[in-house]
Amino acid sequence: MTRSWWGWGEVGQAVTGEEAASLVARAAALLPDHDFTPHDPPDPASLDLPAPRVAVPPRLRAVASTEATDRLAHARGKAFRDVVRNLEGVVGPLPDVVLRPRDDDEVAAVLEWCSGEDVAVVPYGGGSSVVGGVEPRVDGPAVTLDLGRLDRVLEVDATSRAARVQGGVLGPHLEDQLRPHGLTLRHFPQSFEFSTLGGWLATRAGGHFATLHTHIDDLTESVRVVTPAGVAESRRLPGSGAGPSPDRLFLGSEGTLGVITEAWVRLQERPRWRRTASVAFASYEQAVDATRAIAQSGLHPSNCRLLDPAEAFLNAGSSSGAVLVLGFESADHPVDDALARALVIAAEHGGEASTQEPGDASGAAASWRSSFIRMPYQRDAMARRSMVVETFETACTWDRFPALHAAVTAAAQEAAGRVCGAAVVTCRFTHVYPDGPAPYYGVYAPGRWGALVEQWDEVKASVSRAIVDNGGTITHHHAVGRDHRPWYDEQRPDAFAAALSAAKSVLDPAGILNPGVLLDAGRRGRLDP
Amino acid sequence: MTRSWWGWGEVGQAVTGEEAASLVARAAALLPDHDFTPHDPPDPASLDLPAPRVAVPPRLRAVASTEATDRLAHARGKAFRDVVRNLEGVVGPLPDVVLRPRDDDEVAAVLEWCSGEDVAVVPYGGGSSVVGGVEPRVDGPAVTLDLGRLDRVLEVDATSRAARVQGGVLGPHLEDQLRPHGLTLRHFPQSFEFSTLGGWLATRAGGHFATLHTHIDDLTESVRVVTPAGVAESRRLPGSGAGPSPDRLFLGSEGTLGVITEAWVRLQERPRWRRTASVAFASYEQAVDATRAIAQSGLHPSNCRLLDPAEAFLNAGSSSGAVLVLGFESADHPVDDALARALVIAAEHGGEASTQEPGDASGAAASWRSSFIRMPYQRDAMARRSMVVETFETACTWDRFPALHAAVTAAAQEAAGRVCGAAVVTCRFTHVYPDGPAPYYGVYAPGRWGALVEQWDEVKASVSRAIVDNGGTITHHHAVGRDHRPWYDEQRPDAFAAALSAAKSVLDPAGILNPGVLLDAGRRGRLDP
């Protein structure tokens, strides 16, 4: 497969032909005056890259690349603002070198060299960050540490259903290696094909399970982290109460404390029983109440995604109001009764269910699923046509959701209306908990070529303000990176920030690891792109 | 109620009369030569206490006590070695003053005063530590900060099913305050009556749920911690991926980083449907396999406690081999099918089930439950009669359990045999996970009055060595305190120890908070009792 250097995923999967025409036709119906002329990405060879500012020491030369497309492809993540800057041919902060270590010793050698020479190190998994997490936005030289060669399952413990896995493995390759053992991690973020286990751990990624074990945190038995101060490897344990959890310091550390090169993860058998249903609600408020009741029922659906009417219309082809997509799965026992009970709860709140037989690919649930995988490619296609298309997400307690949702929607509408003239704002719950939902918003607005990044940044600042002011988290599973820093800093208790900073000062005394992410970068960093 | 100053729980609940006679008769049948003469606790007034070495500043005098029984009662936790030293009249490290703050400002004032005067502060909830966690084993003056006055539920959010609760509330008083709202925390450690929410959080306590949400960690929405460097209060969130979890640094910090004065905790409705069963197994190996299969089934029993034959015989009155106590509960739906499926799995591994009708108090499961509550009182009764009676616990992955169990049992038998002449060693699983069990061991051995502490300490060192050498954790839910330090230090990654120590240096710059717990105490602390 050939990865796109400028946009999402695989080159061969990009939106073209009929799919593009259909997208444009649907958008043009709403925006008759918009200029949908597609802008092509520049030829990387035509871009003027600064020469690398560092000389790689001999022992690392075999794993170093200063090739232009390599440096460009590693310079940014895959947020809307990243893709647009790539399309515009804007050369921003670039890694001077891309390093692809083959083992922990080479990772340690990179950290030692960079600590000594004061070179920033950006750990890089699949590069799917949407928060500026892999962009070397630092003063002075920087290298990107691409973990892609650490891609093996090293050990499988079928008795405990766990595996020791290297951090650089991409989702599909991980599952391929587990399949012969009859086991699966079943962690399927939207970025699954283009993100790595190490990246999931470093960013506390959210998987496809809508309830119960939502974050990769819950699937983690132990981690191995190479830090400039040495290797930290925790003990494989199903549960422990021995002091603060060592793993939980590294989970979510986003490459600022060390490089996660291995982990023991908890596996499952493949599900043998599955049932799905869609439930339509005329009232969004009632749909929210139904979703809350199901989240609090102890039924633990694997899927429990509430699409608001706009999301249901745009991405599931349903015009009957809000749609709750429900799914249950088990490797051990039938789940018909669980689904039936959830549908009773939904009906008590005015929901009208349509269940699917296993394997049935029709209906709102199925069309939403297939649309889900295409969304990032479609985002790129529309970005090329001067549309602002981006998402953001949060989580809050149920009592605060109505006010947060109203404020966030209003902020998005107001800001997008001001800078773009109009906008469609959609919402779905990606995950739900007994005490609150994780709402995920989409914004679709007509932009101006050349101004797209500034337009989106205004909307983003406005909705982030509303999220933080209304008790939400600045991110449920997209991570903090550099782009979420101002609001993360507000949300984070100051005393914890001080503790984290102190921890970093002993693990990364030279301050080389992903400067500017989570914490101020000291003398080296800058927050502006 | 009157709390025992020297032993477990309430004075009125102590073992006397028939219960004592029956215990002695059963033990004497096995140990005909043992001297069961009961030793009475000393009169606290007869003990020679050193005078307090600190003068409490005026603003804290109203909440300070230097009364002898207060100082004695706060000097130790409730481990076997604590109770024995109390019974022997051994005056060890004592707090100079016991302080009972009425609000966060008074907590902060204590920390400020003690930081300035270099006085150690031992945060104290219910005082049920069994790991030396509340014993002021430090050089120089020390005060105990008893949080017992912070005992209120401050706010209930019925929509999100959560409550804001002060840290010093004891289990029953917490549930009393939640009951009018139709909600419950359902966190029932064995110490429930005599331990506090703040203590549970600070020690990552395990509750009665045998699967899924086993530790208090999972029931925590946010915490408020008063540190010498200021107050850290995290945001109420059902889930978040914004950096490393702030809460997870304070959960398990055992009073070394700050004082947990409040938390938002996740509540549930009271269960309406319950089913229980006992399953007998002739083969312990098959019983373990059955328990593993149920733990991996996704059925999530609320109770899933495997008693080995010795435990089943001693504490559940069953002589039919190993007994698996199973229970399911729900506030939303019947659980008959879940129990039926679990019993099918058990039967596939040779288990013979006897189910109970709801409310039935007969059978092994019911007798084990009632025995569970009495165990600490019985431990005290036997300690008074020169018996070594103590427990220890761990967790490990399933693949390692057979070797760990064999090594731990052998170490306990060998050490107890050497120092006591003989021993009964029992094992039960208190909690089980898809990837491993949390085994909990009991040791019953004839001791010598005056040598009991040394005898137990030898056994403890031996089994702790076996646990750590065989991949277990030194504690699944009893915490680290001072007594587990040597093995905790081995288990903990060095880089994490350095990070934790750095975090402490900014949160508690004077190093006054519970010196010697989790981390070396610097110039002040000593590890020897």
Side-chain angles (χ1 to χ4, degrees):
Chain A
M1 88 177 176
T2 307
R3 293 283 295 277
S4 169
W5 76 266
W6 66 270
W8 184 257
E10 232 183 305
V11 170
Q13 295 292 315
V15 167
T16 54
E18 261 182 54
E19 189 181 1
S22 154
L23 279 176
V24 169
R26 283 157 61 198
L30 291 169
L31 301 166
D33 300 330
H34 184 70
D35 176 5
F36 285 99
T37 309
H39 296 264
D40 289 331
D43 176 356
S46 72
L47 299 173
D48 192 23
L49 306 197
R53 292 162 292 181
V54 290
V56 176
R59 76 161 290 197
L60 292 170
R61 273 180 210 153
V63 298
S65 163
T66 54
E67 203 260 312
T69 312
D70 244 353
R71 291 173 70 201
L72 283 170
H74 285 82
R76 290 175 183 136
K78 298 296 184 189
F80 172 76
R81 67 194 312 284
D82 301 329
V83 170
V84 169
R85 286 182 297 161
N86 288 338
L87 284 169
E88 289 174 338
V90 174
V91 177
L94 283 176
D96 291 275
V97 184
V98 176
L99 291 148
R100 292 183 171 88
R102 292 165 296 195
D103 56 32
D104 280 10
D105 285 348
E106 288 184 348
V107 172
V110 171
L111 300 186
E112 189 186 351
W113 163 51
C114 291
S115 291
E117 301 284 324
D118 203 19
V119 175
V121 177
V122 177
Y124 186 101
S128 65
S129 172
V130 291
V131 292
V134 295
E135 184 172 329
R137 218 178 288 166
V138 297
D139 291 323
V143 301
T144 291
L145 191 68
D146 183 327
L147 281 302
R149 279 181 173 162
L150 304 177
D151 66 350
R152 280 171 305 142
V153 171
L154 300 171
E155 213 174 325
V156 172
D157 168 6
T159 306
S160 315
R161 297 197 324 195
R164 182 159 72 96
V165 183
Q166 290 186 304
V169 68
L170 293 166
H173 189 40
L174 168 59
E175 290 293 337
D176 287 346
Q177 294 175 79
L178 295 175
R179 199 167 294 113
H181 302 273
L183 293 167
T184 167
L185 181 62
R186 290 192 79 57
H187 179 79
F188 303 125
Q190 193 172 22
S191 63
F192 174 69
E193 298 169 90
F194 310 108
S195 55
T196 62
L197 174 63
W200 302 337
L201 294 164
T203 60
R204 301 176 68 193
H208 80 301
F209 283 113
T211 69
L212 214 51
H213 301 309
T214 56
H215 284 98
I216 192 75
D217 312 34
D218 299 317
L219 308 178
T220 308
E221 214 173 54
S222 73
V223 294
R224 179 176 168 89
V225 188
V226 179
T227 82
V231 174
E233 183 162 14
S234 60
R235 192 163 272 230
R236 279 187 70 193
L237 293 170
S240 180
S245 163
D247 294 347
R248 298 281 183 161
L249 179 66
F250 294 109
L251 293 171
S253 62
E254 302 190 21
T256 63
L257 303 180
V259 180
I260 301 173
T261 59
E262 278 180 28
W264 276 93
V265 289
R266 300 183 175 126
L267 307 175
Q268 305 176 44
E269 290 179 22
R270 271 160 218 294
R272 270 164 236 165
W273 287 271
R274 290 191 217 207
R275 290 303 307 274
T276 21
S278 310
V279 189
F281 291 87
S283 151
Y284 184 57
E285 288 66 33
Q286 281 203 286
V288 171
D289 285 346
T291 308
R292 173 166 68 85
I294 292 169
Q296 295 179 342
S297 68
L299 291 167
H300 307 309
S302 51
N303 200 352
C304 186
R305 296 199 157 82
L306 177 60
L307 318 181
D308 80 350
E311 178 81 23
F313 179 72
L314 275 186
N315 289 316
S318 163
S319 52
S320 45
V323 173
L324 177 61
V325 180
L326 277 173
F328 288 84
E329 62 173 56
S330 172
D332 180 75
H333 46 266
V335 292
D336 306 70
D337 289 351
L339 178 61
R341 173 63 195 148
L343 294 180
V344 167
I345 296 172
E348 285 168 3
H349 293 84
E352 295 211 12
S354 43
T355 51
Q356 273 99 40
E357 290 309 306
D360 180 359
S362 70
S367 43
W368 191 82
R369 268 199 309 279
S370 71
S371 153
F372 181 68
I373 301 297
R374 295 299 296 158
M375 282 175 192
Y377 292 107
Q378 296 179 347
R379 186 266 321 256
D380 290 359
M382 297 313 280
R384 290 181 57 196
R385 289 162 176 86
S386 307
M387 288 288 292
V388 172
V389 179
E390 185 54 302
T391 61
F392 60 93
E393 37 90 69
T394 183
C396 65
T397 47
W398 289 111
D399 63 317
R400 284 172 172 160
F401 173 70
L404 178 141
H405 182 61
V408 166
T409 306
Q413 294 282 10
E414 186 282 323
R418 180 161 35 82
V419 298
C420 300
V424 172
V425 179
T426 67
C427 179
R428 63 181 192 261
F429 294 165
T430 57
H431 305 81
V432 291
Y433 302 88
D435 53 339
Y440 193 99
Y441 292 90
V443 176
Y444 307 81
R448 281 189 315 283
W449 190 255
L452 291 169
V453 169
E454 294 70 25
Q455 288 178 309
W456 169 248
D457 284 352
E458 274 214 48
V459 175
K460 175 73 176 176
S462 189
V463 297
S464 298
R465 180 79 270 139
I467 284 172
V468 171
D469 286 351
N470 284 277
T473 172
I474 193 59
T475 178
H476 174 266
H477 60 269
H478 276 177
V480 174
R482 293 169 175 86
D483 296 345
H484 279 153
R485 274 293 304 287
W487 305 284
Y488 169 64
D489 287 12
E490 275 188 56
Q491 162 184 347
R492 176 177 57 182
D494 289 342
F496 180 73
L500 188 61
S501 182
K504 181 175 172 76
S505 71
V506 296
L507 296 177
D508 175 25
I512 56 162
L513 279 167
N514 228 358
V517 167
L518 295 185
L519 294 163
D520 287 338
R523 70 203 149 79
R524 182 184 295 100
R526 53 194 169 94
L527 274 174
D528 52 304
Chain B
M1 90 179 174
T2 307
R3 294 284 294 277
S4 169
W5 76 266
W6 65 270
W8 184 256
E10 230 183 306
V11 170
Q13 295 292 317
V15 168
T16 54
E18 263 181 55
E19 188 182 2
S22 154
L23 279 176
V24 168
R26 282 158 60 199
L30 291 169
L31 300 165
D33 300 330
H34 184 71
D35 176 5
F36 286 99
T37 310
H39 297 264
D40 289 331
D43 176 357
S46 73
L47 299 172
D48 192 22
L49 305 198
R53 293 162 292 181
V54 289
V56 176
R59 76 160 289 195
L60 292 169
R61 273 179 210 152
V63 298
S65 163
T66 53
E67 202 260 311
T69 312
D70 244 353
R71 291 174 69 200
L72 282 170
H74 285 82
R76 292 175 182 136
K78 298 296 182 189
F80 172 76
R81 68 195 312 286
D82 300 328
V83 170
V84 168
R85 286 182 296 161
N86 288 338
L87 285 168
E88 289 174 338
V90 175
V91 177
L94 284 176
D96 292 275
V97 184
V98 176
L99 292 148
R100 292 184 171 86
R102 293 164 295 196
D103 55 33
D104 280 10
D105 285 348
E106 287 183 348
V107 172
V110 171
L111 300 185
E112 189 186 353
W113 163 52
C114 291
S115 291
E117 301 284 325
D118 203 19
V119 175
V121 177
V122 178
Y124 186 101
S128 65
S129 173
V130 290
V131 291
V134 295
E135 184 172 330
R137 218 178 287 167
V138 297
D139 289 324
V143 301
T144 291
L145 191 67
D146 183 327
L147 281 302
R149 279 181 172 161
L150 303 179
D151 66 350
R152 280 170 306 141
V153 170
L154 299 172
E155 214 173 324
V156 172
D157 168 5
T159 305
S160 316
R161 297 197 322 195
R164 182 159 72 96
V165 184
Q166 291 186 302
V169 68
L170 293 167
H173 189 40
L174 167 60
E175 290 292 337
D176 287 346
Q177 293 176 79
L178 296 175
R179 198 165 294 114
H181 301 273
L183 294 166
T184 167
L185 181 62
R186 292 193 76 59
H187 179 79
F188 303 125
Q190 194 172 22
S191 63
F192 174 70
E193 298 169 273
F194 310 108
S195 55
T196 63
L197 174 63
W200 302 337
L201 294 165
T203 60
R204 301 176 67 194
H208 80 301
F209 283 112
T211 69
L212 214 52
H213 300 309
T214 56
H215 284 99
I216 191 76
D217 311 35
D218 299 316
L219 308 178
T220 308
E221 214 173 56
S222 74
V223 294
R224 181 177 166 89
V225 187
V226 179
T227 81
V231 174
E233 182 162 14
S234 59
R235 193 164 272 229
R236 279 187 70 192
L237 293 171
S240 181
S245 163
D247 294 348
R248 298 282 181 161
L249 178 66
F250 294 109
L251 292 171
S253 62
E254 302 191 20
T256 63
L257 303 180
V259 181
I260 300 172
T261 59
E262 278 180 27
W264 275 94
V265 290
R266 300 184 175 124
L267 307 175
Q268 305 175 45
E269 290 179 23
R270 271 160 218 295
R272 270 165 234 163
W273 287 271
R274 290 191 217 207
R275 291 303 307 275
T276 20
S278 309
V279 188
F281 292 86
S283 150
Y284 184 57
E285 288 66 32
Q286 282 204 286
V288 170
D289 286 345
T291 307
R292 174 167 67 84
I294 292 169
Q296 295 178 343
S297 68
L299 291 167
H300 307 308
S302 50
N303 200 353
C304 186
R305 298 202 155 80
L306 177 61
L307 319 181
D308 79 351
E311 178 81 23
F313 179 73
L314 275 185
N315 289 315
S318 162
S319 51
S320 44
V323 174
L324 176 61
V325 180
L326 278 173
F328 289 84
E329 62 174 55
S330 172
D332 180 75
H333 46 266
V335 292
D336 305 70
D337 290 350
L339 177 62
R341 172 65 195 147
L343 294 180
V344 167
I345 296 173
E348 285 167 3
H349 293 83
E352 296 211 11
S354 42
T355 51
Q356 274 101 40
E357 291 307 307
D360 181 0
S362 71
S367 35
W368 191 82
R369 267 199 310 280
S370 70
S371 151
F372 180 68
I373 300 296
R374 294 299 295 158
M375 283 175 192
Y377 292 108
Q378 295 177 348
R379 186 267 321 256
D380 289 358
M382 297 314 279
R384 290 182 57 194
R385 290 163 176 86
S386 307
M387 288 288 291
V388 172
V389 180
E390 184 54 303
T391 62
F392 60 92
E393 37 90 68
T394 183
C396 64
T397 47
W398 289 111
D399 63 318
R400 285 171 171 161
F401 174 69
L404 179 139
H405 182 61
V408 166
T409 306
Q413 295 281 11
E414 186 283 322
R418 179 160 37 83
V419 298
C420 299
V424 172
V425 181
T426 67
C427 179
R428 63 180 190 263
F429 294 166
T430 56
H431 305 81
V432 290
Y433 302 88
D435 54 338
Y440 193 100
Y441 292 90
V443 176
Y444 307 81
R448 283 188 315 282
W449 190 253
L452 291 170
V453 169
E454 294 71 24
Q455 288 177 309
W456 169 247
D457 284 353
E458 274 215 48
V459 176
K460 175 72 177 176
S462 189
V463 297
S464 298
R465 178 80 270 137
I467 285 172
V468 170
D469 287 351
N470 283 277
T473 173
I474 194 59
T475 177
H476 174 266
H477 60 269
H478 277 177
V480 174
R482 293 170 175 85
D483 296 345
H484 279 154
R485 274 294 305 285
W487 304 285
Y488 169 66
D489 287 11
E490 275 189 54
Q491 162 184 347
R492 176 177 56 182
D494 288 343
F496 179 73
L500 188 61
S501 182
K504 181 174 171 76
S505 71
V506 296
L507 296 177
D508 175 25
I512 55 163
L513 278 168
N514 228 359
V517 168
L518 296 185
L519 294 163
D520 287 339
R523 69 199 151 79
R524 181 184 294 102
R526 51 193 170 94
L527 274 174
D528 53 303

